[in-house]
Amino acid sequence: MPIRPFSIVSAFVALLALAPAQAQQRIVVASTTSTQDSGLFAHILPLFKAKTGIEVRVVAQGSGQALETARRGEADVVFVHAKAEEEKFVADGHGVRRYPVMYNDFVLIGPNSDPAGIKGTSDVVQALKTIKAKAAPFMSRGDWSGTHIAELNLWRAAGIDIEKENGPWYKELGQGMGAALNADSAANAYMLSDRGTWISFKSRGELGIAVEGDERLFNQYAVILVNPLRHRRVNKALGQALIDWLVSAKGQTAIAGYKIKGEQLFFPNANMPGI
């Protein structure tokens, strides 16, 4: 049977009408290298897409860079771990509301030879003082990520202005968490890492956890919808759908279910206010 021209035209028009709807089912999330490098997104985002049909493209950067990306309106949602910067982002009108999602902790990684003699201790501030006093090699993310900001805060707590009091023993990398751990493994230096990326890290070499358990190493993650009144391209409905799923029982269960060799990497706490 011959195909009528109007049938072809009708089908083409139908495809054109469908294309924008499909394009709208995609959002951009500016997030951290730790959530990406740890494998969390690879675990939870397919579950979210299966539930909603929404595809999420992740731009993995340090938290400071991710917030800057969102300030330019180049993301729909920001998912980071730098509370003071997140609150300022919302207060300045760039974000709608900050939602706590999950936490883990930071750990101070170091060479198994432990030149600073701090392995097995739990006072991270005293450990940093010792590292500086002994000029033991230390590598910093140096990228204004949430981990880098946490590291700078810990140096301040130790009474050390690391920008003025560093030396050849202290090196800034300007790299994401996974790449930084690879560099640290090659250099056998101390470094602050989030526990999730450390657990997922395969090339540990001669590195191990030197210091853990200090309450100052608590690491909270939160998610924020970029303000659609400030940036017209922001997809408010789809971005909020992701946030609602992350803080829902199903989203929180998905986060808790991400484990490597039976070890849980992130702990949901969306129902805990004030964090």
Side-chain angles (χ1 to χ4, degrees):
M1 180 181 295
I3 300 175
R4 297 181 180 180
F6 75 82
S7 298
I8 297 174
V9 172
S10 298
F12 182 67
V13 170
L15 286 173
L16 286 177
L18 183 60
Q22 290 176 333
Q24 289 174 356
Q25 293 296 107
R26 183 180 299 114
I27 56 174
V28 174
V29 173
S31 191
T32 72
T33 57
S34 60
T35 45
Q36 180 86 332
D37 292 348
S38 65
L40 176 69
F41 281 141
H43 173 74
I44 66 172
L45 291 183
L47 300 174
F48 172 69
K49 185 177 180 180
K51 175 70 176 177
T52 64
I54 301 170
E55 180 181 341
V56 178
R57 183 171 75 87
V58 176
V59 179
Q61 307 168 296
S63 288
Q65 293 173 308
L67 288 164
E68 189 57 37
T69 295
R71 284 188 188 94
R72 295 194 300 268
E74 296 173 3
D76 302 285
V77 172
V78 62
F79 190 174
V80 292
H81 60 145
K83 184 177 180 180
E85 286 71 20
E86 295 158 20
E87 291 176 335
K88 186 177 188 305
F89 179 80
V90 174
D92 289 347
H94 295 290
V96 177
R97 175 184 168 188
R98 177 182 178 273
Y99 294 81
V101 175
M102 63 190 190
Y103 72 95
N104 62 9
D105 64 343
F106 294 109
V107 288
L108 188 62
I109 304 303
N112 292 329
S113 58
D114 193 26
I118 59 173
K119 191 169 185 178
T121 62
S122 59
D123 187 333
V124 68
V125 166
Q126 183 57 48
L128 291 177
K129 290 179 180 178
T130 303
I131 288 171
K132 181 183 180 299
K134 295 188 176 182
F138 188 97
M139 283 197 169
S140 169
R141 286 274 298 272
D143 61 351
W144 291 105
S145 61
T147 304
H148 182 215
I149 292 168
E151 178 216 317
L152 294 178
N153 289 338
L154 290 170
W155 285 114
R156 289 190 197 98
I160 298 168
D161 184 345
I162 196 61
E163 293 183 353
K164 295 179 179 178
E165 301 179 51
N166 62 38
W169 58 275
Y170 184 89
K171 299 190 182 301
E172 293 185 300
L173 297 171
Q175 296 182 346
M177 197 67 253
L181 280 171
N182 280 324
D184 193 50
S185 179
N188 269 342
Y190 293 97
M191 169 179 278
L192 190 70
S193 171
D194 72 285
R195 190 183 292 270
T197 308
W198 171 250
I199 291 172
S200 65
F201 185 56
K202 303 297 191 298
S203 305
R204 297 186 179 184
E206 296 300 317
L207 298 179
I209 293 177
V211 180
E212 62 183 330
D214 193 320
E215 63 181 13
R216 290 168 289 199
L217 294 172
F218 179 77
N219 182 29
Q220 178 68 43
Y221 290 81
V223 64
I224 303 168
L225 178 70
V226 179
N227 191 347
L229 299 179
R230 182 70 65 92
H231 301 288
R232 294 179 61 186
R233 68 157 298 282
V234 170
N235 194 319
K236 177 181 178 181
L238 300 189
Q240 190 62 48
L242 173 63
I243 292 171
D244 291 344
W245 183 81
L246 286 170
V247 301
S248 71
K250 288 187 177 180
Q252 296 278 279
T253 298
I255 291 168
Y258 180 52
K259 299 178 181 180
I260 294 179
K261 295 182 179 180
E263 191 167 0
Q264 187 171 332
L265 276 70
F266 299 93
F267 298 83
N269 64 346
N271 294 324
M272 294 177 62
I275 53 175

